[in-house]
Amino acid sequence: MKTPLSSSSSPASSSSLSSSLRKTRLSPYLFALLSFIVFVSILYGEDLVCIFGQQRQLRPTSPRPGPRTGELTRPSISSSNVEKTDSETRGARPAGGTIYEAAVDGVLRSSEQRKSGASGGEPVIPFAIGRGEEGCDVFSGRWVRDESARPSYEESECPYIQPQLTCQEHGRPDKDYRNWRWQPHSCSLPRFNATLMLETLRGKRMMYVGDSLNRGQYVSMICLLHSLIPEGSKSMETFDSLTVFTAKDYNATIEFYWAPFLLESNSDNAVIHRVTDRFVRKGSINKHGRHWKGVDILVFNTYLWWMSGVTVKILKGSFEDEVKDVVVMSTDDAYRMGMKSLVRWVQKNMDPKKTRVFFTSMSPTHGNSEEWGGEPGDNCYNQTTPIKDPNYWGSDSRKSIMQVISEVFSKSKVAITFLNITQLSNYRKDAHTMIYKKQWSPLTPEQLANPVSYADCVHWCLPGLQDTWNELLFAKLFYP
Ligand SMILES: *[C@@H]1O[C@H](CO)[C@@H](O)[C@H](O)[C@H]1NC(C)=O
Ligand SMILES: *[C@@H]1O[C@H](CO)[C@@H](O)[C@H](O)[C@H]1NC(C)=O
Ligand SMILES: *[C@@H]1O[C@H](CO)[C@@H](O)[C@H](O)[C@H]1NC(C)=O
Ligand SMILES: *[C@@H]1O[C@H](CO)[C@@H](O)[C@H](O)[C@H]1NC(C)=O
C-alpha cells in the first residue's frame, strides 16, 4: 500500500490511539499498553536534549589494531573474586519458578554451533577467562540489600552521568535504591573487577548502540571504570550520534551510538528526535552499521521505540522519495524484521573468533502501580522498595517480543550473548528517576501539585540498577 508521508502529521494522541483501537477491537491489556506508550512518548520528547558537550561532525571511523583474543586458561570463578554467597538460597529453585525456568546460558547458539561444540571440543570464546557455573542462570535470582557492597560508586564521584539520571542531585530523598545487589539463585556473580575490564579494553573499542536506556548502561560502565584513570588522561566527546569516552593511556575507547531502532528511522537525530509519526526504513541497518565496524565489543538494545502502538510504519523506499512507500506491520513482525537485520549485520561484519556481541533485553517501565497491587492512578513515584513477588512481570515487557528475540537469535550463525535483564529489572519499581532529574521545561502548577503526572518511570537513577546490567555483562564476557 502506498501512503504519502506528510510532514505535518497529526500528533499521536490518546484519542487517535483509542479510535484505532476501537477499529481493531483489541483487548483491555493492549489498551493499558497504549496508555503507557503515550506516557513513554511524552518522556522521550525531552530525551537527549542535554549532555556531553558540543555537537560536531561524526568522526571518521579510524582503523584500529586488530583485537587480541582472550586466553582461555583460568578454569573457573575462584572464591576470591565472587560476590558474597547467599548460602541459604544456594542451589534453591526460584520461588514459584515454573514460569521462568528456561535457564538459557546467555549465549544463544544455533544448533550447528552446539553440535560442533560437542564434537570438536569447546569453542573458543573471545575474552573468556573461565566458565560460568554449570547450569546457573545468572538472570534468575533476587535482590539482596547489601550496604557494604553497593553502591559501587557515588553519584557525585562520576561527572559523566547526564542530569537526566542524577537523582540525588535533583533532590531524591531516599537512598536505599542504590543498596541492592543481584543474587542469582544457584550461583554467585563474579565481582566486577574494573582493573580487569580496563586492561582487557587496552587498544580496543567497546560500543553501546541503541536508545537512551542503553546510554544509561553505557554511562554506568564509564562510572564503574573511570576512577582508575587519572584526570587528564580521560575524556568524553560527542560527535553527532556518537559519544566517545577515551582512556588515553589504555588506547581504549568506550562509545555510545544513538540509533533507537538500530535501523534508519526519522527519530535518528541525536538531539531533535521528537517525532509524532515514526517511520523505520526496511533493510537500512548499514546506514548506522558502518559506524560500528571494527568495534571489539558491541552491546545492542532496541525495544521501547518500536512500542508506539500495535503497529509500526515501515518505509520501503528512501526518506528522500517524494511519495513514500509505507507498509504497516504488526509490532512483533516489524521488530522481527529489525532483529533479522541485526543478526545479518553481525554475521557479515563481526569476527566471532575475536569479537563479542551482546544484546540487552527490554527494560521495563513502572507506569501503573495497580500491576503490583498499588493504588489506582499511582506509578513509580514515591516507590522505595523492590517488588517482592518473584513472578511479577509488567505488562509492558511484551512476552511476544521476548519470543521473537529468542527465535531470531537461535538461528544466528554467530553467537550473540543475550543479557536477559527484563525480569530482574521488573522487580525494581524503586529504581527509576521519577521526578528527581533535570526538568527540561518549567513545570506547571498542575504538575507540581501532582508529581505522579510527570514522574519518569522509564529511565533509571545512577548509581543503581544499570550497574547490575554491567556486572552481568562482565560475568558473561569473562565467564560465559
Ligand atoms: C593505539 O591505537 C592507535 C589507533 O587507534 C594505533 O595507531 C596505535 O598503534 C595504538 N598504540 C598502541 C601502543 O597500541
Ligand atoms: C582484578 O583483575 C586484575 C587484573 O587481571 C588482577 O590482577 C586482580 O587480582 C583482580 N582483583 C580481584 C579482586 O580479583
Ligand atoms: C509517599 O510515601 C510516603 C510514605 O510511604 C507517604 O507518607 C507520602 O504521603 C507519599 N507521598 C505521596 C505524594 O504519595
Ligand atoms: C528471559 O528471561 C525470562 C524470565 O526469566 C524468560 O521468560 C525468557 O524466556 C528469557 N528470554 C530468553 C530469550 O531466554
Side-chain angles (χ1 to χ4, degrees):
M1 140 179 125
K2 297 248 178 192
T3 315
L5 173 60
S6 83
S7 52
S8 61
S9 43
S10 65
S13 66
S14 41
S15 62
S16 72
L17 283 174
S18 48
S19 71
S20 65
L21 228 158
R22 275 195 299 276
K23 262 180 255 156
T24 45
R25 274 183 272 122
L26 289 161
S27 68
Y29 155 77
L30 279 171
F31 202 102
L33 185 71
L34 287 179
S35 1
F36 146 75
I37 281 148
V38 172
F39 155 80
V40 168
S41 54
I42 292 165
L43 286 170
Y44 276 143
E46 68 193 34
D47 191 14
L48 229 149
V49 185
C50 31
I51 19 183
F52 306 147
Q54 77 274 50
Q55 302 294 315
R56 268 190 253 151
Q57 268 315 117
L58 200 59
R59 180 182 72 156
T61 34
S62 58
R64 282 266 174 172
R68 294 181 307 251
T69 308
E71 312 110 82
L72 253 179
T73 45
R74 263 182 272 174
S76 72
I77 307 169
S78 71
S79 58
S80 67
N81 62 1
V82 297
E83 290 281 5
K84 263 177 272 172
T85 307
D86 203 13
S87 50
E88 82 272 16
T89 59
R90 236 174 186 283
R93 297 288 306 147
T98 44
I99 298 181
Y100 306 126
E101 72 181 5
V104 177
D105 68 353
V107 180
L108 300 172
R109 293 187 200 85
S110 67
S111 46
E112 297 93 283
Q113 280 173 314
R114 275 194 216 96
K115 264 184 244 142
S116 73
S119 59
E122 286 284 298
V124 175
I125 302 173
F127 301 103
I129 59 173
R131 295 293 294 178
E133 269 183 56
E134 194 73 36
C136 174
D137 177 5
V138 292
F139 304 106
S140 169
R142 63 187 188 112
W143 289 102
V144 179
R145 249 185 89 83
D146 189 348
E147 279 167 74
S148 65
R150 297 292 180 281
S152 304
Y153 53 89
E154 289 296 326
E155 181 185 296
S156 58
E157 291 165 0
C158 185
Y160 305 99
I161 310 174
Q162 57 271 47
Q164 196 185 25
L165 308 180
T166 47
C167 297
Q168 292 297 316
E169 189 189 331
H170 291 95
R172 182 157 177 176
D174 58 313
K175 292 191 164 146
D176 287 6
Y177 66 91
R178 311 168 319 152
N179 297 134
W180 298 92
R181 179 171 58 76
W182 181 245
Q183 177 62 57
H185 284 303
S186 50
C187 60
S188 286
L189 282 181
R191 194 186 293 273
F192 185 91
N193 182 337
T195 310
L196 174 61
M197 189 72 210
L198 255 184
E199 284 299 336
T200 302
L201 290 177
R202 205 175 266 284
K204 291 196 166 40
R205 291 174 74 190
M206 177 173 189
M207 189 189 277
Y208 291 77
V209 179
D211 61 24
S212 59
L213 290 151
N214 214 24
R215 189 177 55 234
Q217 189 181 350
Y218 161 71
V219 171
S220 152
M221 178 59 91
I222 289 167
C223 291
L224 289 165
L225 299 180
H226 88 100
S227 61
L228 291 181
I229 307 165
E231 287 307 324
S233 59
K234 55 190 170 190
S235 64
M236 192 192 258
E237 290 174 288
T238 294
F239 313 85
D240 201 4
S241 298
L242 186 68
T243 298
V244 181
F245 175 84
T246 307
K248 291 188 191 68
D249 301 341
Y250 292 85
N251 209 20
T253 58
I254 308 174
E255 309 174 31
F256 171 72
Y257 186 94
W258 168 261
F261 292 95
L262 305 181
L263 305 185
E264 183 183 8
S265 77
N266 61 349
S267 305
D268 288 343
N269 187 297
V271 183
I272 313 146
H273 45 235
R274 183 205 290 259
V275 287
T276 48
D277 207 11
R278 286 180 193 148
F279 292 83
V280 181
R281 187 159 77 89
K282 191 176 159 94
S284 61
I285 198 158
N286 290 329
K287 165 92 191 299
H288 298 306
R290 67 199 163 95
H291 300 291
W292 318 331
K293 285 187 185 177
V295 171
D296 302 287
I297 301 171
L298 269 170
V299 186
F300 291 102
N301 92 325
T302 185
Y303 175 62
L304 272 184
W305 285 72
W306 297 88
M307 300 296 129
S308 55
V310 289
T311 58
V312 179
K313 291 182 185 129
I314 303 295
L315 180 67
K316 294 179 90 179
S318 118
F319 277 101
E320 279 72 50
D321 293 349
E322 220 154 275
V323 179
K324 304 280 190 276
D325 184 1
V326 172
V327 289
V328 178
M329 273 191 184
S330 77
T331 303
D332 285 3
D333 286 345
Y335 192 86
R336 180 179 292 107
M337 185 267 302
M339 286 292 103
K340 283 184 171 170
S341 288
L342 174 63
V343 166
R344 270 196 302 272
W345 186 90
V346 169
Q347 286 174 182
K348 195 153 169 265
N349 296 285
M350 298 299 281
D351 181 348
K353 295 197 185 66
K354 293 176 174 163
T355 64
R356 289 283 293 279
V357 178
F358 292 84
F359 187 89
T360 307
S361 62
M362 54 268 214
S363 173
T365 67
H366 292 89
N368 177 7
S369 65
E370 280 179 276
E371 292 200 20
W372 59 85
E375 293 296 312
D378 279 352
N379 57 23
C380 71
Y381 174 65
N382 214 14
Q383 299 295 326
T384 53
T385 52
I387 292 167
K388 293 206 179 70
D389 174 6
N391 296 321
Y392 178 76
W393 184 274
S395 66
D396 60 285
S397 305
R398 285 197 211 172
K399 293 219 160 161
S400 60
I401 291 286
M402 196 59 109
Q403 190 57 38
V404 169
I405 297 173
S406 156
E407 278 165 26
V408 176
F409 283 4
S410 61
K411 289 186 197 128
S412 166
K413 292 198 189 70
V414 295
I416 294 175
T417 307
F418 187 55
L419 299 178
N420 195 350
I421 54 81
T422 307
Q423 176 69 77
L424 64 95
S425 308
N426 251 309
Y427 301 136
R428 296 302 307 276
K429 63 177 165 58
D430 60 318
H432 291 286
T433 52
M434 309 178 182
I435 62 171
Y436 309 110
K437 54 184 264 188
K438 182 168 176 172
Q439 303 296 336
W440 300 99
S441 39
L443 297 168
T444 63
E446 294 77 46
Q447 283 178 317
L448 287 169
N450 181 19
V452 169
S453 68
Y454 68 100
D456 179 343
C457 300
V458 174
H459 298 100
W460 311 97
C461 301
L462 283 182
L465 172 68
Q466 294 192 297
D467 302 320
T468 296
W469 298 4
N470 280 318
E471 287 161 27
L472 290 159
L473 189 157
F474 176 92
K476 287 292 175 190
L477 181 65
F478 294 111
Y479 304 96

